[in-house]
Amino acid sequence: MASIISLADLIAQGKIAGKRVFIRADLNVPQDDQGLIMEATRIRASLPAINMCLKAGAAVMVASHLGRPTETEGEVNLVDSLIQVAVQLSEYLGREVRLISRWVDGGFEVALGDVVLLENCRLNPGEKRNDDVLARKISGLCDVYVNDAFGTAHRAEATTHGIAKYAPIACAGPLLMAELDALGKTIGQPVRPLIAIVGGSKISTKLTVLKSLADKVDQLIVGGGIANTFMLAAGLPIGRSLVEVNLVEDAKAIIHAMEVRGASIPIPVDVVCAKKISPTADAVVKATNDVAEDDMILDIGPETAAKLANQLEQAGTIVWNGPVGVFEFDQFGHGTQALARAIVSTKAFSIAGGGDTLSAISKYGIADRVNYISTGGGAFLEFLEGKKLPAVQILEQRAY
């Protein structure tokens, strides 16, 4: 990776004191139907950059998106508002964090040593398409732009890419720097064996990363709906389970590519089935050969979980993205829980990322035992694929 100016470098050089600093954070947290925050990892991860700037004597503006409010672009509403994030941020920082609406044209005051939160940036027309006029306007609000939002680094938007072109100074925050360092070492210089766990509902959303990992890892563990497609590719019955039949040949190709390298994709030997997806559904453990036509596979079985846990014990590096079952319902979460426990009990360096993964880590109380938790979902996957992240590229360009 090319060099990037870091926030820490600027502070050490005395270039933050007395400045207006615009921090692009990733505060896109899951909320329930009442708007209450269900999991706040990303908010906590944003605190170091904010505190560094406040301590340095800057006037701090924090921006983030929340959800995908494409239908309400240009409108401010409670559904898409960061109001609850402002409340949580105030609690963590121990000071009031005002939420500023319609902030693009300025007109609001931020004192040195103070911090405000700018309303959902995706409510601004042009944010998603990286509108140049919008980016220039936003850049005029600050003296220093800090990108600390690894979770959106794979998207070229006005607050992740456009502003970095025009701000007087553009740099990376501590979270972004840490993410790039941890992921770079994991993929570029891993301690082997390198084992990747990729779960999720659809193989189509992770097909390219699966193909990329097939060339890099020593073992590729698949779970969730993705595993169903691989089971079908292996000639096993899957009943009414979620599957992408049109990608069975791709799954076969990935299995073959792994075998040619002497690596493997372990196929489940037993699974947990139900007739419906429900918190009250009866969970039945079955051998994979015994899955009935009306069954839905919703988790890996205990024998499969034990075998995978044993294989994880031999790992030097573990990359985890996605649960291996419908872990939100306890009767279908034993597989994900077993692998989560196995990951943190090994001596391997573990790195985990993705929204559902963060939720699983929180549910099973293992956050302090995973070596590195990435706040990224799509960016995490694209980095694993070896893709260039637009928001990182522009910071590299601005470093010269």
Side-chain angles (χ1 to χ4, degrees), residues 50 137 230 267 307:
I50 298 171
K137 273 189 177 183
F230 279 88
I267 303 298
K307 286 186 175 183

Side-chain angles (χ1 to χ4, degrees), residues 197-358:
I197 303 169
V198 180
S201 58
K202 292 184 177 182
I203 188 174
S204 56
T205 61
K206 299 183 178 180
L207 181 60
T208 53
V209 75
L210 288 169
K211 289 180 177 178
S212 178
L213 289 174
D215 292 330
K216 298 183 177 76
V217 304
D218 300 297
Q219 191 170 79
L220 179 57
I221 296 172
V222 293
I226 291 173
N228 298 337
T229 303
F230 279 88
M231 287 175 62
L232 192 61
L236 293 167
I238 60 168
R240 296 190 299 112
S241 306
L242 178 64
V243 68
E244 292 176 281
V245 177
N246 61 315
L247 295 178
V248 167
E249 292 304 316
D250 291 277
K252 288 180 179 178
I254 292 171
I255 293 172
H256 177 69
M258 295 284 287
E259 291 175 344
V260 168
R261 294 178 47 244
S264 66
I265 296 181
I267 303 298
V269 295
D270 63 342
V271 291
V272 180
C273 299
K275 303 304 181 185
K276 60 180 179 179
I277 302 178
S278 164
T280 59
D282 292 328
V284 180
V285 177
K286 291 187 175 185
T288 49
N289 284 319
D290 297 333
V291 175
E293 290 185 0
D294 61 344
D295 279 335
M296 301 178 72
I297 300 171
L298 301 178
D299 194 11
I300 57 173
E303 185 178 348
T304 298
K307 286 186 175 183
L308 295 177
N310 183 59
Q311 291 166 356
L312 288 169
E313 287 182 8
Q314 315 306 316
T317 306
I318 300 171
V319 178
W320 179 23
N321 176 263
V324 296
V326 187
F327 76 98
E328 295 87 350
F329 302 147
D330 289 342
Q331 69 271 43
F332 307 121
H334 297 298
T336 299
Q337 183 176 23
L339 294 195
R341 299 289 183 205
I343 289 168
V344 298
S345 67
T346 71
K347 295 179 180 180
F349 177 80
S350 55
I351 182 167
D356 287 339
T357 314
L358 298 184

Side-chain angles (χ1 to χ4, degrees), residues 7 11 16-19 21-23 47-60 113-114 144 146:
L7 175 61
I11 290 175
I16 295 297
K19 303 297 185 182
V21 177
F22 186 108
I23 301 176
L47 300 179
I50 298 171
N51 281 321
M52 287 169 68
C53 292
L54 291 174
K55 186 177 180 181
V60 183
D114 198 6
V144 178
V146 181

Side-chain angles (χ1 to χ4, degrees), residues 10-333:
L10 294 179
I11 290 175
Q13 296 165 10
K15 295 182 178 179
I16 295 297
K19 303 297 185 182
R20 298 170 300 158
V21 177
F22 186 108
I23 301 176
R24 177 50 160 103
D26 180 8
L27 308 177
N28 184 33
V29 292
Q31 295 176 285
D32 63 18
D33 294 338
Q34 284 71 49
L36 298 178
I37 295 170
M38 300 167 62
E39 208 285 312
T41 297
R42 286 174 172 166
I43 298 178
R44 291 191 295 272
S46 73
L47 300 179
I50 298 171
N51 281 321
M52 287 169 68
C53 292
L54 291 174
K55 186 177 180 181
V60 183
M61 297 164 277
V62 181
S64 175
H65 73 287
L66 182 67
R68 300 172 179 171
T70 53
E71 295 181 2
T72 54
E73 190 178 66
E75 301 175 14
V76 178
N77 60 85
L78 287 176
V79 174
D80 300 311
S81 176
L82 288 168
I83 182 63
Q84 291 300 325
V85 174
V87 172
Q88 188 73 78
L89 198 55
S90 298
E91 182 178 325
Y92 285 149
L93 290 172
R95 62 168 72 202
E96 180 188 4
V97 178
R98 291 180 293 136
L99 179 64
I100 308 296
S101 298
R102 304 188 186 285
W103 48 268
V104 171
D105 293 316
F108 59 91
E109 295 295 326
V110 189
L112 294 177
D114 198 6
V115 55
V116 298
L117 179 63
L118 308 178
E119 187 57 279
N120 191 341
C121 60
R122 286 190 180 167
L123 294 175
N124 298 324
E127 167 67 19
K128 286 281 289 178
R129 65 177 183 273
N130 197 20
D131 181 75
D132 204 59
V133 174
L134 175 63
R136 287 178 182 274
K137 273 189 177 183
I138 296 174
S139 69
L141 298 175
C142 66
D143 302 304
V144 178
Y145 167 69
V146 181
N147 191 330
D148 208 32
F150 176 75
T152 62
H154 61 310
R155 302 189 185 283
E157 300 180 351
T159 59
T160 64
H161 184 273
I163 182 178
K165 292 191 295 183
Y166 302 117
I169 300 175
C171 69
L175 175 60
L176 180 57
M177 293 296 291
E179 294 266 10
L180 295 174
D181 181 62
L183 282 168
K185 289 178 180 177
T186 300
I187 297 302
Q189 303 169 315
V191 176
R192 293 191 180 271
L194 170 58
I195 299 179
I197 303 169
V198 180
S201 58
K202 292 184 177 182
I203 188 174
S204 56
T205 61
K206 299 183 178 180
L207 181 60
T208 53
V209 75
L210 288 169
K211 289 180 177 178
S212 178
L213 289 174
D215 292 330
K216 298 183 177 76
V217 304
D218 300 297
Q219 191 170 79
L220 179 57
I221 296 172
V222 293
I226 291 173
N228 298 337
T229 303
F230 279 88
M231 287 175 62
L232 192 61
L236 293 167
I238 60 168
R240 296 190 299 112
S241 306
L242 178 64
V243 68
E244 292 176 281
V245 177
N246 61 315
L247 295 178
V248 167
E249 292 304 316
D250 291 277
K252 288 180 179 178
I254 292 171
I255 293 172
H256 177 69
M258 295 284 287
E259 291 175 344
V260 168
R261 294 178 47 244
S264 66
I265 296 181
I267 303 298
V269 295
D270 63 342
V271 291
V272 180
C273 299
K275 303 304 181 185
K276 60 180 179 179
I277 302 178
S278 164
T280 59
D282 292 328
V284 180
V285 177
K286 291 187 175 185
T288 49
N289 284 319
D290 297 333
V291 175
E293 290 185 0
D294 61 344
D295 279 335
M296 301 178 72
I297 300 171
L298 301 178
D299 194 11
I300 57 173
E303 185 178 348
T304 298
K307 286 186 175 183
L308 295 177
N310 183 59
Q311 291 166 356
L312 288 169
E313 287 182 8
Q314 315 306 316
T317 306
I318 300 171
V319 178
W320 179 23
N321 176 263
V324 296
V326 187
F327 76 98
E328 295 87 350
F329 302 147
D330 289 342
Q331 69 271 43
F332 307 121

